[in-house]
């Protein structure tokens, strides 16, 4: 592209130079010719007064010698013969032919005849005898072309300078255009090779800046789409933990024997593969929730507790559910709430001994719904780390995605998640689901302050749903 632009500019400039330089050179040549013959006409005109007075040879010779052309032997005077005045008078060197002299006399106007070494200006002039004499002025080729060569050399130099200057400017402009294009191509190649951090500096002409901005926006969208896809894969894989937990518990009750050992080995292998998929697909940027989704939290909790209650009965766990008697509408998709509940309850079964009691409580306020999941297990040593994606609680089989799913669910409504100590002696996970949509940080701090003031009453005599 750069060289194509240089070639185009070179061709255009060359055509412009040729279109103007050649006619201008011809004009300069014609002007030099006109200047030479005009000077010759002036020299011939100086003899006219003498011829009008006399045709005497000595006097005419003095008149011719007094002129510049005559002193250089470039002037001749041809006076025809007269009856009373005598014969013809010829002064100076004749260069034109007799026929050319006769033609000039007959026409009665100045003419130019080509002679060896230049041109002869033939100027007819009336003499005292009534005849017409011819003044011949020789104009050498050097005077006809005087200054033409210099002028053509100047024109050629100017034309060459214009061509070189246009090529230099075109090369600079081409570099300015090609470099951003090369950067864009290199960034596209890097992005195709999997380097998702490839971006293009927005520089160059307006069109290339727009292309760079569009490329950067596309790259950002690609990164976002990949992040959401990986996150979705991680979340879907994490949801497999619930049926795997059931399989593991059922496999534990099979007793001894080769079939039971193979089943337990297969379940353990499957759990390892699911954990590996989750860790591989894990990304930092969360996936957003649709603000239009909604469900009845009480109905979803009752449905999921029917499933987990059966498992709890097999492990001799005491289960308590409160606050789900009346419909509780929340701005969360049904599947997302079910996944969050399964993640929390799955942690209870996975990380607490058999026989450990747990409870699920729902509290409804004017602008929020609080879901509490508490257990009587050993608790979580580092609650802040457990809420960070990919951290987990350090126990075998923990990927750190379970509580991250819960956190993102709460934050999609403008709420949050807290982990604390329950009155049962173990862990309490509190989900704050805002009913008014996402709020500012200041508004959320106000809600937290209000919750801190209300929580002591819940600890003293609520529905068995202590606060963290």
């Amino acid at each position: 592209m750069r060289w194509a632009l240089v070639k185009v500019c070179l061709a255009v400039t060359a055509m412009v130079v040729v279109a103007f330089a050649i006619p201008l050179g011809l004009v300069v040549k014609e002007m030099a010719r006109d200047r030479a013959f005009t000077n010759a006409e002036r020299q011939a005109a100086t003899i006219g007064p003498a011829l009008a007075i006399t045709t005497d040879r000595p006097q005419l010779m003095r008149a011719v010698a007094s002129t510049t052309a005559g002193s250089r032997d470039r002037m001749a005077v041809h006076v025809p013969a007269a009856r009373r005045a005598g014969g013809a008078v010829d002064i100076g060197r004749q260069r034109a032919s007799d026929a050319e002299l006769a033609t000039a006399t007959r026409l009665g106007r100045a003419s130019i005849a080509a002679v060896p070494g230049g041109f002869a200006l033939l100027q007819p002039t009336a003499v005292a005898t009534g005849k017409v004499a011819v003044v011949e002025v020789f104009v050498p080729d050097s005077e006809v072309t005087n200054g033409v060569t210099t002028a053509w050399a100047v024109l050629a130099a100017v034309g060459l300078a214009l061509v070189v200057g246009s090529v230099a400017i075109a090369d600079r402009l081409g570099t300015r255009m090609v470099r951003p294009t090369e950067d864009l191509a290199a960034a596209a190649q890097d992005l195709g090779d999997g380097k998702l951090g490839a971006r293009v500096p927005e520089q160059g002409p307006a069109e290339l800046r727009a292309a760079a901005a569009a490329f950067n926006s596309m790259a950002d969208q690609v990164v976002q789409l990949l992040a959401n896809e990986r996150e979705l894969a991680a979340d879907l894989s994490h949801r497999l933990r619930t049926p795997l937990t059931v399989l593991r518990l059922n496999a534990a009750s099979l007793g001894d024997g080769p079939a039971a050992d193979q089943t337990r080995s297969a379940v353990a292998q499957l759990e390892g593969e699911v954990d590996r998929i989750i860790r591989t697909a894990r990304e930092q940027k969360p996936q957003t929730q649709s603000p239009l989704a909604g469900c009845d939290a009480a109905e979803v909790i009752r449905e999921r507790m029917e499933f987990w209650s059966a498992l709890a009965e097999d492990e001799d766990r005491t289960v308590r559910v409160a606050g789900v008697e009346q419909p509780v509408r929340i701005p969360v998709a049904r599947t997302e709430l079910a996944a969050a509940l399964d993640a929390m309850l799955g942690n209870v079964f996975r990380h607490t001994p058999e026989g450990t009691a747990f409870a699920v409580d729902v509290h409804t306020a004017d602008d929020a719904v609080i879901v509490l999941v508490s257990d009587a297990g050993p608790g979580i040593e580092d609650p802040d780390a457990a809420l960070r994606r990919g951290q987990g609680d350090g126990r075998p089989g923990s990927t750190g995605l379970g509580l991250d799913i819960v956190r993102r669910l709460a934050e999609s409504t403008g709420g949050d998640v807290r982990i604390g100590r329950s009155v049962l002696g173990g862990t309490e996970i509190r989900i704050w689901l805002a009913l008014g949509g996402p709020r500012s940080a200041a508004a959320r701090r106000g809600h937290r302050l209000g919750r801190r003031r209300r929580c002591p009453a819940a600890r003293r005599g609520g529905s068995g749903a202590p606060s963290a």
Side-chain angles (χ1 to χ4, degrees), residues 102-423:
T103 301
T105 301
R106 185 180 69 252
L107 295 176
R109 63 174 182 270
S111 62
I112 299 174
V115 297
F119 299 89
L121 174 67
L122 305 177
Q123 178 67 52
T125 304
V127 297
T129 60
K131 297 291 185 178
V132 176
V134 177
V135 179
E136 179 184 352
V137 180
F138 175 68
V139 180
D141 289 334
S142 59
E143 287 192 9
V144 174
T145 60
N146 183 29
V148 174
T149 303
T150 303
W152 283 7
V154 172
L155 288 176
V158 171
L160 182 61
L162 289 176
V163 171
V164 173
S166 65
V167 169
I169 294 175
D171 182 72
R172 187 173 185 84
L173 292 177
T175 301
R176 184 170 177 263
M177 294 178 60
V178 169
R179 187 170 299 165
T181 306
E182 292 175 346
D183 293 341
L184 182 61
Q189 182 66 35
D190 292 341
L191 187 64
D193 293 339
K195 300 177 182 178
L196 301 182
R199 296 297 183 272
V200 183
E202 299 179 10
Q203 59 186 9
E207 294 79 5
L208 291 178
R209 291 199 302 270
F215 176 87
N216 293 337
S217 177
M218 178 197 68
D220 293 338
Q221 292 180 5
V222 168
V223 172
Q224 177 65 43
L225 290 175
L226 290 176
N228 289 342
E229 183 179 1
R230 292 171 180 171
E231 208 162 41
L232 179 61
D235 292 348
L236 292 177
S237 300
H238 192 278
R239 295 181 187 184
L240 295 176
R241 303 292 290 275
T242 296
L244 284 176
T245 301
V246 178
L247 291 176
R248 180 172 56 82
L249 295 175
N250 291 338
S253 62
L254 292 178
D256 298 330
D261 294 338
Q262 291 178 359
T263 301
R264 283 189 287 268
S265 176
V267 171
Q269 182 179 359
L270 186 58
E271 282 186 325
E273 292 296 332
V274 169
D275 292 343
R276 191 175 297 110
I277 293 174
I278 293 174
R279 291 190 177 92
T280 302
R282 187 172 60 219
E283 278 294 328
Q284 294 297 325
K285 194 166 185 178
Q287 187 178 11
T288 58
Q289 297 288 336
S290 172
L292 302 178
C295 68
D296 182 1
E299 179 183 357
V300 175
I301 293 174
R302 288 196 301 267
E303 176 184 321
R304 299 313 301 159
M305 288 307 298
E306 289 179 2
F307 171 80
W308 289 102
S309 295
L311 298 179
E313 183 177 354
D314 292 340
E315 294 189 357
D316 296 328
R317 296 176 182 269
T318 302
V319 182
R320 178 172 52 80
V321 182
V324 296
E325 295 79 10
Q326 300 295 329
V328 180
R329 197 72 186 174
I330 59 174
V332 173
R334 181 185 187 91
T335 56
E336 300 300 328
L337 178 60
L341 287 172
D342 288 341
M344 292 185 292
L345 296 175
N347 286 338
V348 172
F349 280 82
R350 188 175 298 109
H351 301 307
T352 61
E354 294 186 6
T356 301
F358 65 95
V360 178
D361 302 294
V362 179
H363 297 274
T364 304
D366 295 337
D367 59 352
V369 173
I370 303 174
V371 179
L372 300 170
V373 177
S374 54
D375 62 63
I380 297 178
E381 298 179 359
D382 190 351
D384 293 335
L387 286 175
R388 290 196 295 269
R389 185 177 180 85
Q391 295 293 327
D393 59 3
R395 302 179 187 181
S398 175
T399 62
L401 282 179
L403 293 181
D404 182 71
I405 294 175
V406 178
R407 177 184 60 78
R408 289 191 292 109
L409 175 72
E411 290 180 351
S412 68
T413 67
D416 59 11
V417 176
R418 284 192 168 190
I419 299 178
R421 203 73 177 177
S422 71
V423 294

